[in-house]
Amino acid sequence: MKSNYVPSMSVDKFENLWLCAFRQDNTEGALMKFDRLSNWSFYNSKNSGIAYGNQFSVTIDTNNVVWCFYNKLSKFDGTKWKIYDSTNSPLKASIAPEIFTDKHNNKWMGLNFYGLYKLENDSIWTIYNPANSGIGGAFITKIREDALGNFWINISSSGVCKFTLSNNSWQNWTPQNSNLISAYPWGLHIDKSNRKWIGFGNTETGIAELIDNLFVYYNPPIIEGGTSITDIQEDRFGNLWLSTGNG
């Protein structure tokens, strides 16, 4: 591996694992592809058309196209690369902690301090920020879609937000208007039963489930390895797996 810091990963339709290897020492990392056997592929600006080797987030869309972001958005269809930046899109040079593909193959990006960006049909952009919408903040850390088509958004230093696209309505949960303990949600998962799970960073809060507008907490010592929850995944048996600040 090119780095021991992997902020994002995604799985394509052939079960290949794509990982962002981000280097923090001013040298170039790589977007990595692993076939789960023994074969690794590395993509950086020297050997491919990717914008940068360092990447902070990656998603695979419904057409098995790879999208990754760091200062610029790179698209890879398996043969050709396309770059989106300020010259051909409204994107700002920024880290995007999250890229998410929804059920309609739209790409959603959370850009540090710039808000929520939606890319439709690879050409139509919509931007949501506190100045033009009801979103509760501009530092997006996670985006997920529930079974009803609502979007759930974690916002650092604010809380949790629900966006209903069909009627353009927003609901925000913050420590000021709810029993949300921490304003720093990080992990986010919608399970097979459409239950909402939130993990928290920089806190001893652990993990919570949102039930009828109330957060139900599962606190230490239930969680092993630390209580800063960076990601939440579900296996085929319905078990939740948590990644933490310590592993």
Side-chain angles (χ1 to χ4, degrees):
M1 289 181 66
K2 297 289 186 179
S3 171
N4 62 358
Y5 180 38
V6 180
S8 179
M9 60 184 177
S10 192
V11 179
D12 67 23
K13 70 177 183 180
F14 300 112
E15 295 298 316
N16 298 306
L17 185 63
W18 294 79
L19 307 99
C20 297
F22 188 89
R23 296 185 66 96
Q24 298 171 293
D25 58 2
N26 296 320
T27 60
E28 189 171 29
L31 177 68
M32 305 185 300
K33 175 187 173 183
F34 179 49
D35 67 2
R36 303 200 188 207
L37 296 173
S38 60
N39 300 307
W40 291 84
S41 300
F42 300 90
Y43 301 91
N44 58 45
S45 62
K46 296 179 177 65
N47 67 8
S48 74
I50 197 172
Y52 301 97
N54 272 349
Q55 294 294 322
F56 211 83
S57 51
V58 60
T59 188
I60 314 296
D61 71 17
T62 57
N63 296 319
N64 209 44
V65 174
V66 180
W67 299 77
C68 54
F69 198 104
Y70 179 72
N71 285 331
K72 299 179 181 182
L73 177 64
S74 299
K75 172 188 174 184
F76 182 48
D77 65 4
T79 304
K80 297 180 296 183
W81 293 86
K82 181 176 180 179
I83 307 301
Y84 298 81
D85 57 22
S86 60
T87 66
N88 61 1
S89 78
L91 287 171
K92 307 286 188 181
S94 174
I95 290 175
E98 174 75 336
I99 304 179
F100 174 76
T101 303
D102 70 18
K103 298 170 185 174
H104 300 288
N105 207 33
N106 301 310
K107 267 60 71 177
W108 296 78
M109 287 151 271
L111 272 66
N112 277 10
F113 309 112
Y114 292 110
L116 182 65
Y117 284 61
K118 176 189 175 188
L119 175 59
E120 185 177 358
N121 296 325
D122 294 0
S123 61
I124 302 170
W125 291 89
T126 307
I127 303 171
Y128 304 94
N129 57 48
N132 68 9
S133 73
I135 195 169
F139 194 152
I140 313 299
T141 58
K142 279 288 188 296
I143 307 161
R144 293 291 183 268
E145 183 180 10
D146 69 19
L148 301 177
N150 301 306
F151 292 92
W152 294 81
I153 305 156
N154 281 354
I155 307 171
S156 183
S157 76
S158 177
V160 179
C161 180
K162 174 186 174 184
F163 176 38
T164 303
L165 186 61
S166 60
N167 62 6
N168 196 38
S169 66
W170 301 80
Q171 184 175 359
N172 292 281
W173 289 266
T174 71
Q176 289 73 39
N177 69 8
S178 72
N179 72 325
L180 185 68
I181 292 177
S182 171
Y184 296 92
W186 198 265
L188 176 62
H189 180 68
I190 315 294
D191 71 16
K192 294 180 177 69
S193 300
N194 208 36
R195 298 158 69 189
K196 288 78 184 177
W197 299 89
I198 299 97
F200 299 90
N202 301 322
T203 179
E204 296 299 317
T205 304
I207 188 172
E209 181 185 3
L210 181 60
I211 304 174
D212 296 329
N213 287 320
L214 291 175
F215 292 91
V216 177
Y217 293 92
Y218 301 85
N219 293 328
I222 295 173
I223 299 169
E224 298 288 343
T227 55
S228 180
I229 308 301
T230 56
D231 200 6
I232 307 167
Q233 297 292 330
E234 183 178 4
D235 66 22
R236 62 192 178 95
F237 302 107
N239 300 308
L240 296 182
W241 294 82
L242 313 177
S243 61
T244 76
N246 293 325

